[in-house]
Amino acid sequence: MAQGKRCRLSDMKPGDRFRIEKVDVPDPMLKRRLLDLGFVPGGEVKVGPRSPLGDPTAYRVCGTTIALRKEESDYIYGEKIRHD
């Protein structure tokens, strides 16, 4: 993904850094959970390793590592800011 292009968090590769622009979840309970975990607009996320079968993926947000399944990270939109 090109830097600055809007995409989903689930599209990022391990080592990428991502800035959240929007959390667009149809289920209000899941949206509240993601926001409470730190996936908030303006927040930065570092993508960690994927599980051996590819799902879930670890994400470093607000100093904590959180594992999300692809179906959850599909709702988080933003842009890649760099790759470490």
Side-chain angles (χ1 to χ4, degrees):
M1 274 300 135
Q3 196 165 336
K5 186 176 179 183
R6 189 177 180 129
C7 52
R8 293 178 182 173
L9 179 57
S10 60
D11 296 332
M12 298 294 98
K13 306 265 187 275
D16 287 346
R17 290 193 179 265
F18 183 84
R19 181 172 294 115
I20 299 169
E21 291 179 3
K22 181 178 173 183
V23 179
D24 190 16
V25 184
D27 175 10
M29 299 274 296
L30 178 56
K31 183 172 185 171
R32 171 59 30 212
R33 178 176 169 264
L34 292 173
L35 294 172
D36 287 347
L37 289 171
F39 293 93
V40 296
E44 289 188 17
V45 179
K46 181 176 181 188
V47 181
R50 296 191 198 288
S51 73
L53 297 177
D55 195 34
T57 300
Y59 298 99
R60 186 86 174 154
V61 60
C62 297
T64 303
T65 301
I66 307 290
L68 294 181
R69 298 204 173 278
K70 183 181 182 311
E71 65 223 25
E72 297 165 328
S73 58
D74 277 346
Y75 297 121
I76 302 171
Y77 295 89
E79 64 180 352
K80 178 179 173 180
I81 50 178
R82 69 177 183 268
H83 180 86
D84 287 344

